[in-house]
Amino acid sequence: MKPDFKQVEIVKSFLQGENDDWLFSQSDGIRRQVFGDGVFIRGIIEFSNYCKQNCSYCGLRVPNKEIARYRLTSEEILFCVEIAEKQGIRTIVLQSGEDPYISDEWIAGLIAEIKKKYSIAITLSLGERSFETYKLWRNAGADRYLLRIETFNRKVYENARKGHYWEDRLKCIQMLKELDYETGSGFMVGLPGETIDSFADSILELTKLNLDMIGIGPFVAHPETPFKKESNGDVLLTLRTLAIVRILNPLANIPSTSALESAQKGARLTGLKVGANVIMPSLTPERVKVLYNIYPGKNATRDTTEYSIEAVRKMIGEAGLHWSDSVGGSPNWLNRKQLENTL
Ligand code: 5AD
Ligand code: SF4
């Protein structure tokens, strides 16, 4: 009989390495059933590393005076989109810190301009905002939104994001769904204070959110943060988590994250073999990309965009998969739409 992954004890035993061979072959099998051997590509444009927040784990937090800050112009961003299109990338992700000097209207204008010029899906990753702002951007043409809940453990969350409440984060995710974005969330593995029990619970709680995209990566300690002395999240535990999340969420788009690669060389390729179906190369200009230093190892080399994309192509081939030229919408979101239309 197949184990019931909806039971917390089962999830816990697989997290502890009950049977990795079986787990990873199941998750890979489900990924192949739903997505074949295609990998969806998302080009990330990290357009500003200014952030007004103070997250205890992130190198972009406001008290970090050790990094130079940058903000791209709309011309520079459009140039990155142009490269994406030329390289056959059908989705771009616009990501930044919560930069207080960029207005909601400026972002809406940028979204509209990209949508007018290019046949490309736009994912936003711009943090916690109001319902009105999310609505403005959705109406301007944004298709998808990523907002990680970071953890389901309230105490761990409130220690990692001092002065913020976990419930507010959850409300944002609900707003995004209400506005019909393809909605993505996820968490870090190994934040200080997390236990294997709370973590097994988190996986089941995450699944209840019925997400279209799920991002999971190990916590990587950054030297300029209050968490600098904490241990990094365990890579094998992250891969097991990814595999369990795939089994529980067969229709979600799941990336193999760059944090996996930062924590251990080669782990992003392994992620593609154990359930991930998305890869997200950075398209940020080489002049500034090393400054988008959320965690050590993130955008660490000053490679050209073309070189980074070539490396991703190679990695996909090594995993025995192929670069999909589909726009890569989430089958979960499409199902939701169809269901709504039949009601
Ligand atoms: N290690 C790993 N992931 C991190 N993130 C932020 N800081 C770190 C870190 N030190 C992740 C968070 C955030 C996303 C943009 O990057 O999950 O939501
Ligand atoms: Fe800012 Fe996001 Fe980093 Fe927090 S995790 S400091 S909100 S960029």
Side-chain angles (χ1 to χ4, degrees):
M1 210 174 71
K2 280 196 169 179
D4 178 3
F5 277 89
K6 293 205 170 73
Q7 288 184 20
V8 72
E9 284 311 316
I10 302 281
V11 170
K12 201 175 140 188
S13 71
F14 278 96
L15 285 175
Q16 288 169 319
E18 161 87 13
N19 189 344
D20 282 343
D21 289 345
W22 187 87
L23 175 68
F24 293 146
S25 78
Q26 286 292 307
S27 58
D28 183 48
I30 290 174
R31 175 241 191 279
R32 282 172 192 274
Q33 252 175 32
V34 178
F35 299 97
D37 60 5
V39 177
F40 297 146
I41 316 296
R42 322 304 196 190
I44 307 199
I45 305 168
E46 293 132 332
F47 62 89
S48 165
N49 70 349
Y50 284 89
C51 187
K52 63 178 184 190
Q53 299 297 357
N54 199 14
C55 305
S56 305
Y57 43 83
C58 175
L60 303 191
R61 66 201 302 272
V62 85
N64 182 8
K65 306 286 179 229
E66 296 302 313
I67 47 165
R69 304 280 172 168
Y70 73 89
R71 188 179 289 125
L72 299 184
T73 63
S74 47
E75 289 71 31
E76 287 171 310
I77 297 172
L78 287 166
F79 185 70
C80 299
V81 182
E82 183 81 31
I83 296 181
E85 165 131 296
K86 284 204 181 110
Q87 293 277 342
I89 293 178
R90 307 282 312 281
T91 298
I92 52 145
V93 182
L94 296 175
Q95 189 179 77
S96 74
E98 292 186 22
D99 183 339
Y101 297 101
I102 297 182
S103 74
D104 297 348
E105 289 69 27
W106 185 86
I107 290 173
L110 179 70
I111 295 166
E113 198 170 346
I114 295 172
K115 287 304 254 194
K116 201 167 81 193
K117 282 199 182 143
Y118 302 96
S119 164
I120 218 161
I122 299 182
T123 304
L124 302 177
S125 175
L126 304 172
E128 283 184 36
R129 309 285 174 141
S130 66
F131 185 82
E132 286 64 39
T133 301
Y134 287 147
K135 190 169 171 191
L136 176 76
W137 294 341
R138 179 76 178 119
N139 289 341
D143 303 279
R144 310 176 186 147
Y145 204 104
L146 300 173
L147 183 73
R148 286 195 183 168
I149 192 120
E150 313 297 6
T151 170
F152 280 80
N153 183 322
R154 312 319 189 247
K155 271 206 188 125
V156 170
Y157 184 88
E158 282 153 28
N159 179 44
R161 303 197 76 230
K162 293 243 167 20
H164 290 267
Y165 296 103
W166 183 88
E167 276 73 16
D168 293 336
R169 194 89 167 167
L170 183 64
K171 268 189 213 137
C172 286
I173 294 168
Q174 285 158 345
M175 287 184 224
L176 293 166
K177 285 188 103 174
E178 197 181 321
L179 287 164
D180 211 20
Y181 279 96
E182 277 185 50
T183 304
S185 192
F187 43 62
M188 281 175 272
V189 174
L191 274 177
E194 198 89 71
T195 63
I196 205 85
D197 286 289
S198 73
F199 197 56
D201 269 338
S202 292
I203 293 176
L204 295 177
E205 290 298 314
L206 181 87
T207 301
K208 284 190 201 145
L209 292 180
N210 188 20
L211 294 160
D212 306 313
M213 306 175 279
I214 300 177
I216 293 159
F219 158 70
V220 185
H222 191 295
E224 299 299 331
T225 65
F227 285 176
K228 62 184 170 201
K229 295 217 172 92
E230 303 290 345
S231 319
N232 287 352
D234 185 80
V235 169
L236 184 54
L237 182 64
T238 308
L239 292 168
R240 287 175 185 147
T241 305
L242 196 162
I244 298 168
V245 165
R246 165 57 72 212
I247 292 169
L248 286 164
N249 300 268
L251 302 184
N253 279 324
I254 301 180
S256 191
T257 54
S258 47
L260 266 172
E261 192 67 24
S262 298
Q264 189 180 300
K265 206 168 173 326
R268 200 156 61 141
L269 192 152
T270 313
L272 287 177
K273 292 182 176 170
V274 301
N277 70 310
V278 173
I279 205 100
M280 303 171 76
S282 168
L283 305 183
T284 305
E286 53 269 25
R287 175 175 65 81
V288 290
K289 78 196 278 189
V290 291
L291 302 175
Y292 203 79
N293 189 237
I294 299 183
Y295 46 82
K298 167 86 182 151
N299 290 357
T301 52
R302 228 178 255 269
D303 296 332
T304 64
T305 300
E306 285 78 4
Y307 183 89
S308 308
I309 294 174
E310 204 36 54
V312 161
R313 276 189 197 280
K314 218 171 121 214
M315 185 197 314
I316 293 171
E318 277 169 32
L321 300 167
H322 78 259
W323 169 297
S324 164
D325 52 16
S326 151
V327 73
S330 154
N332 196 48
W333 184 83
L334 289 172
N335 269 6
R336 253 204 340 265
K337 291 278 86 189
Q338 273 165 7
L339 207 67
E340 276 165 28
N341 292 338
T342 53
L343 291 179

